Amino acid sequence: MNQGLMYELAAERFLCQVGLELIERNFRGSYGEIDLIMLDRRTLVFIEVRQRSRSRFYSAAASISAKKRSRIVKTALGFLKENPIYRNNYCRFDVVAFDDTCDSPLWIKSAFTEE
């Protein structure tokens, strides 16, 4: 199992334990990929999973560039277009970040919006 998949599965387990429901993992659109798409009650949550083994200069969560955020938002719009059942749900963009280990993720709700 590759390292990226390992952290995505750890994030998924963590989020399911706190009550979110998995809709889709690794959704690919023309602008990129969204690691996890989950429901938090009626809120559709698009989740970017990040990991950094050495976070001397900045954290895993801080490593998401404005360009990457824009691609995630555009990919989320593509998901909504392909899945109209979710069009009336509130949407949120979260980050689950792992710095050094899989043991304790940092969950940042509403980490970013379209700028």
Side-chain angles (χ1 to χ4, degrees), residues 16-81:
C16 285
Q17 287 174 349
V18 296
L20 275 70
E21 175 189 347
L22 180 68
I23 301 300
E24 191 161 341
R25 65 174 70 89
N26 302 114
F27 173 80
R28 291 187 186 278
S30 53
Y31 290 98
E33 179 183 89
I34 296 175
D35 296 325
L36 299 170
I37 301 173
M38 303 182 86
L39 275 175
D40 186 359
R41 297 189 185 124
R42 288 209 24 89
T43 300
L44 191 63
V45 186
F46 299 96
I47 300 154
E48 174 70 7
V49 178
R50 301 298 274 196
Q51 186 276 334
R52 286 229 179 269
S53 57
R54 291 193 178 106
S55 48
R56 185 173 148 202
F57 297 108
Y58 51 88
S59 69
S63 71
I64 303 171
S65 68
K67 185 176 180 178
K68 175 71 173 175
R69 290 191 303 267
S70 177
R71 286 196 313 259
I72 291 170
V73 170
K74 289 175 183 174
T75 303
L77 291 171
F79 175 85
L80 291 170
K81 186 175 181 180

